[in-house]
Amino acid sequence: MKAPVRIAVTGAAGQIGYSLLFRIAAGEMLGKDQPVILQLLELPLDKAQAALKGVMMELEDCAFPLLAGMQGGADPAAAFKDAQIAMLVGARPRGPGMERKDLLSGNAKIFIEQGKALDKAASRDVRVLVVGNPANTNAYIAMKSAPSLPSRNFTAMLRLDHNRALSQLAAKSGKPVGAIEKLIVWGNHSPTMYPDYRFATANGQPVKDIINDDNWNRTVFVPTVGKRGAAIIEARGLSSAASAANAAVDHVRDWMLGSGGHWVTMGVPSDGSYGIPKDVMYGVPVTTSNGEYTRVEGLPIDAFSRGKMDATLKELEEERAAIAGLLGK
């Protein structure tokens, strides 16, 4: 048997956490031959800790052969101790009447604390995925709060948007989801994101030629993907927990096990390419291998795409400015 991988999950008793943990323990993220140890974090509230205990009891009752150990509590340092993968799911949700600056400020405090705890306690090569919204800026905050860890190992989840865009393209083109390659979602995990299928193919044929409807792209596809989360909340009265958990599994699985040369979308700290300032946590196309990601470089950017990419960048820069004082800058 392989040595177990230590996986920290925050917000472990929440909706996404509940949808996520059983899939990790079943081997769907790191493989059916990879044991895992789950290190679970929840709020230091009696109700949250009781819910976490119940989730852990259910995990025990599944008798997963790959679940080599488990611990839970409210101390970030304990949850992140020697963690090789950290999935930061828990975040402060936006409440009624709450302004965006209040949401950013509240989450900044959480992710500064968690970034510092990762910096002190986690494996020096820990891979961090931020799921909790606003995911890109929360990932940026955690990265900046963990100066001794590699910046490139902090990522934000754009995979949910990528998967949503894939399903929309499949429905429009009549092609299977699995046949579509080279899709991109640029920018922020928010309604400003830009899903881009200019380079996408289905069984080698350009998706752009199959669909051949630029008006659909601009007026239906882009806004549908951007507002999909809100549409799900309106339809079921709850947020998209299962699809978010699925995207988190996809993100980490491809990061750690490789994408097989296929493009996937990850929110990563910019290296300055594509006109995105350095360190902005921005969705870009990557390929992955051996636990590392490599940007797909040199893609041409047309005027429509540039406008969309700049608009989502503007939102990210406004978010960074709003929390800059909390980071001591």
Side-chain angles (χ1 to χ4, degrees):
M1 288 286 282
K2 295 179 178 178
V5 172
R6 292 184 175 272
I7 304 171
V9 179
T10 75
Q15 276 203 89
I16 296 174
Y18 188 74
S19 296
L20 174 65
L21 295 174
F22 299 88
R23 294 189 62 185
I24 297 173
E28 293 182 29
M29 188 169 80
L30 297 183
K32 298 292 186 178
D33 63 344
Q34 179 57 66
V36 297
I37 297 172
L38 294 176
Q39 302 180 177
L40 309 178
L41 183 70
E42 256 302 345
L43 295 170
L45 303 173
D46 290 346
K47 186 176 180 180
Q49 288 298 309
L52 177 59
K53 182 179 178 182
V55 172
M56 293 173 72
M57 290 166 69
E58 282 203 80
L59 283 161
E60 290 172 349
D61 292 351
C62 289
F64 289 115
L66 293 173
L67 186 54
M70 181 170 49
Q71 67 185 60
D75 179 9
F80 296 142
K81 183 168 174 54
D82 299 325
Q84 294 154 281
I85 297 170
M87 305 177 77
L88 308 188
V89 176
R92 182 181 179 183
R94 190 167 189 167
M98 183 186 291
E99 294 185 17
R100 189 168 182 82
K101 66 179 181 181
D102 299 323
L103 179 69
L104 288 165
S105 175
N107 276 296
K109 293 167 187 171
I110 294 169
F111 284 86
I112 287 169
E113 179 189 24
Q114 292 186 359
K116 289 179 176 177
L118 283 163
D119 201 49
K120 291 177 181 176
S123 162
R124 297 300 84 188
D125 202 30
V126 64
R127 303 302 202 277
V128 182
L129 167 63
V130 176
V131 176
N133 286 322
N136 293 57
T137 295
N138 287 342
Y140 173 79
I141 292 165
M143 175 185 76
K144 289 297 185 182
S145 301
S148 74
L149 298 176
S151 293
R152 66 175 282 109
N153 285 4
F154 285 79
T155 65
M157 192 171 82
L158 271 291
R159 187 59 173 268
L160 178 54
D161 313 302
H162 184 102
N163 288 348
R164 286 168 170 168
L166 272 178
S167 70
Q168 295 297 317
L169 289 179
K172 180 68 173 177
S173 66
K175 301 295 183 181
V177 167
I180 298 173
E181 299 186 38
K182 297 187 176 179
L183 171 70
I184 306 165
V185 180
W186 300 99
N188 197 9
H189 173 61
S190 85
T192 68
M193 78 189 77
Y194 170 45
D196 177 5
Y197 64 90
R198 290 177 301 136
F199 310 101
T201 61
N203 296 321
Q205 185 180 0
V207 171
K208 190 169 58 173
D209 294 348
I210 298 169
I211 294 174
N212 193 28
D213 188 343
D214 191 53
N215 184 62
W216 176 83
N217 176 45
R218 296 179 184 225
T219 64
V220 178
F221 175 65
V222 171
T224 295
V225 176
K227 298 174 182 175
R228 186 70 167 184
I232 289 169
I233 291 173
E234 184 177 347
R236 72 182 291 258
L238 295 166
S239 64
S240 47
S243 53
N246 178 72
V249 168
D250 287 348
H251 178 115
V252 175
R253 182 197 62 235
D254 286 347
W255 193 1
M256 301 307 295
L257 304 184
S259 66
H262 299 294
W263 295 10
V264 294
T265 301
M266 292 173 65
V268 301
S270 176
D271 63 352
S273 58
Y274 293 114
I276 310 305
K278 196 171 185 306
D279 279 356
V280 173
M281 196 66 66
Y282 196 95
V284 295
V286 301
T287 59
T288 60
S289 179
N290 299 318
E292 300 291 344
Y293 60 82
T294 303
R295 286 173 185 79
V296 177
E297 299 285 9
L299 297 173
I301 307 298
D302 61 22
F304 176 77
S305 299
R306 184 78 268 165
K308 288 292 186 182
M309 291 169 68
D310 286 349
T312 194
L313 171 62
K314 181 174 183 287
E315 182 180 55
L316 281 167
E317 292 191 309
E318 288 170 351
E319 290 180 7
R320 285 209 304 171
I323 52 88
L326 296 171
L327 290 175
K329 293 184 180 179

